[in-house]
Amino acid sequence: MRILGIETSCDETAASVVTGTVDADGTPHGIIASNIVLSQKDHAAFGGVVPEIAARAHVEALDQIIQAAMTKAECDFTDLDAIAVTAGPGLIGGLIVGLMGAKAVSIAHDVPLIGVSHLEGHALTVRLSDGLSFPYLLLLVSGGHTQMLLVSGLGKYQRLGTTIDDALGEAFDKTAKLLGLGYPGGPAVERAALLGDKNRIPLPRPLYGKMPPNFSFSGLKTALRQEAQKLADISPLTEQDVADLCASFQNAVSDVLDDRVSRAWKLAADMSGIEDMLAGKPLPIVVAGGVAANKTIRAQLQTTAEKLGTNLVAAPMALCGDNAAMIAWAGLEHFNAGHIDDLSLAPRPRWPLDKDAQPLVGRGKAGPKV
Ligand code: KG4
Ligand code: ZN
C-alpha cells in the first residue's frame, strides 16, 4: 500500500508518503518514502500558536508541501492507494485547510480518503518506525495531551491515566515563557537545563504515589514561578539560576513520570487478555509526542522500563513532533482494515482515543477523587 498523509492540526504543515503492509498476525512493516514538515515560525513573537495565523499559513504552504512530498517519494497521485488526513483533534481552521486539500486530491485523482486522529498518529508511530506489535503501554506527551493508554489493537485504546489540568508540553512552554526562554518552550527548557543543578530548587511531585495514575502539572508550574520569584526578590535571575530552575523542573517531571508510568504499567500488565497476547514477553513501554524528544525524559523512561524488566520503545526524534508520516501510517492501518471515508468527512476538534473515558480537565481545582 502507498499512502499520502497530510497534517495541519496545529502549527506544522506536513505531507508524507509512506508505503507498507500489515501481516495477517498484525505485524507492521512500513517505509517512509518522504516526510516533509514546515514548522511555522510566525507564532514565536506571540509566545504561542495563534490559530488564525496558523490556518492562513497552512493555506499558503500546503500545495507546495504536498508536491514536495510526492516528488521526494518519486510517485504520482495515481500511484496512491489512499490519502490520509488529520481530521482532529486540533485547531479547527487548520483542520479545515488540510481536509479541503485532501478532498481536492481525492476527487481530482479518484483516490480513497481516510480521516485520521492526530493522537492515533502519535500512538501508532512506533509501529511504523520499529515494527512494534500490539499490545503496549503508551505514554503520549504533547502540547495538548498527556495520557497513558493500553494499546491492544487498531482502535483499541484504554486510558489508564490523564492530566487533570495542564498537558506536559504546555507546562514546558509555560515554564519557558516565565523564564523568558521563548517559544516553543520544550527545547529551550531542555537546552537551558543542560548546565543546571537539578537538585537546587525544591519543587513538588504532584500526585506522586496516588491512584489512578493521573497527572497534574499546574501546581508544579506555580511552584516554579514562586521559587523563581523568591530568587528574583534577592537579585535579578542569573543564567545559572535559570539553568537550575529548568534542571530542577525536569527532575521533578522525571520523578513524576517514573512513578506514574510504573503504576500504569503494572495495571496494564495485569489486565485480562494481555498476558495471552504477550506470549511470555513483558509489556513494552512506548513514549510518543513532542515532549518525547526530551533526552532527560527518554533517559528516565529507559531506567523506569529497566526497573520493571521491560523495554522502552521511544518514537524516533524526527517523528516525536508533529509530522505527516504518522498520519500516513495510521491511514495505512485503517485502509488495511477496510476503513475509508466519503466526502462528508468533517473536522473533529475533539476526538479522544478512548471513547469511554471521561474528560478530567476542567473538573475544578480538586480534580477527580484519587
Ligand atoms: O506533538 P507536538 O509536536 O504537538 C502537539 O500535538 O501538541 O508537541 C509539541 C509540544 C510543545 O509543547 C513543545 O514545547 C514540546 O512538545 N516539546 C518538548 C521538546 N520538544 C518539543 N518538550 C520538552 N522537551 C523537548 N525537547
Ligand atoms: Zn502532536
Side-chain angles (χ1 to χ4, degrees):
M1 291 171 277
R2 184 184 280 115
I3 313 285
L4 168 66
I6 294 178
E7 159 61 37
T8 56
S9 68
C10 193
D11 57 345
E12 265 83 28
T13 313
S16 162
V17 175
V18 164
T19 61
T21 55
V22 181
D23 295 346
D25 69 356
T27 310
H29 306 274
I31 293 173
I32 300 174
S34 64
N35 183 25
I36 312 289
V37 181
L38 175 74
S39 291
Q40 301 173 0
K41 300 276 177 252
D42 299 343
H43 306 283
F46 299 91
V49 179
V50 184
E52 171 85 18
I53 293 177
R56 286 167 187 258
H58 288 308
V59 172
E60 276 171 29
L62 187 57
D63 291 2
Q64 290 105 292
I65 296 292
I66 292 175
Q67 198 50 60
M70 296 298 288
T71 306
K72 179 86 201 302
E74 295 178 2
C75 76
D76 195 73
F77 289 114
T78 51
D79 299 328
L80 297 172
D81 291 293
I83 169 159
V85 59
T86 305
L91 301 173
I92 189 74
L95 293 172
I96 290 172
V97 174
L99 274 176
M100 297 315 285
K103 286 182 182 180
V105 176
S106 169
I107 297 168
H109 302 284
D110 197 20
V111 182
L113 179 71
I114 303 168
V116 166
S117 152
H118 179 86
L119 299 180
E120 193 166 44
H122 283 303
L124 301 177
T125 294
V126 289
R127 287 177 52 78
L128 165 63
S129 60
D130 291 70
L132 192 68
S133 293
F134 300 121
Y136 48 86
L137 173 72
L138 169 71
L139 170 66
L140 172 50
V141 273
S142 70
H145 297 270
T146 299
Q147 304 178 8
M148 288 183 293
L149 301 123
L150 173 61
V151 181
S152 51
L154 180 65
K156 293 184 182 155
Y157 309 104
Q158 211 167 335
R159 197 186 73 193
L160 303 171
T162 187
T163 180
I164 61 169
D165 41 55
D166 292 353
L168 183 51
E170 196 180 348
F172 267 95
D173 292 335
K174 286 178 177 169
T175 296
K177 197 168 181 178
L178 173 84
L179 298 173
L181 295 174
Y183 181 87
V189 169
E190 182 173 19
R191 257 192 317 278
L194 286 175
L195 298 173
D197 173 359
K198 65 177 185 173
N199 296 313
R200 176 174 162 208
I201 314 289
L203 292 171
R205 271 65 174 155
L207 298 185
Y208 194 100
K210 299 265 172 55
M211 287 298 270
N214 285 322
F215 298 95
S216 167
F217 293 110
S218 109
L220 176 57
K221 172 200 67 195
T222 305
L224 183 120
R225 193 182 60 233
Q226 286 164 348
E227 293 296 329
Q229 191 57 52
K230 273 192 224 164
L231 292 174
D233 285 345
I234 303 165
S235 60
L237 290 186
T238 63
E239 216 169 294
Q240 190 60 52
D241 291 333
V242 170
D244 294 345
L245 283 158
C246 288
S248 300
F249 171 78
Q250 286 195 157
N251 194 27
V253 167
S254 296
D255 283 353
V256 166
L257 290 178
D258 179 44
D259 174 62
R260 310 287 67 203
V261 170
S262 300
R263 285 169 193 273
W265 186 85
K266 285 173 192 152
L267 276 183
D270 278 349
M271 282 177 146
S272 70
I274 294 306
E275 212 175 288
D276 296 344
M277 286 184 83
L278 287 164
K281 284 182 275 168
L283 180 71
I285 297 173
V286 167
V287 62
V291 184
N294 186 288
K295 294 201 183 64
T296 302
I297 290 175
R298 290 169 91 91
Q300 173 60 64
L301 293 172
Q302 182 65 43
T303 307
T304 305
E306 279 164 21
K307 274 195 291 186
L308 294 167
T310 187
N311 57 316
L312 173 76
V313 185
M317 297 295 275
L319 299 181
C320 285
D322 290 347
N323 65 86
M326 68 181 192
I327 302 305
W329 174 258
L332 188 148
E333 295 231 36
H334 278 289
F335 190 63
N336 181 62
H339 308 155
I340 56 170
D341 288 294
D342 59 30
L343 291 173
S344 66
L345 178 65
R348 298 175 63 172
R350 273 201 78 254
W351 188 350
L353 277 176
D354 179 349
K355 289 161 200 65
D356 300 325
Q358 294 299 314
L360 293 187
V361 177
R363 285 202 157 183
K365 276 210 171 94
K369 286 206 174 74
V370 288

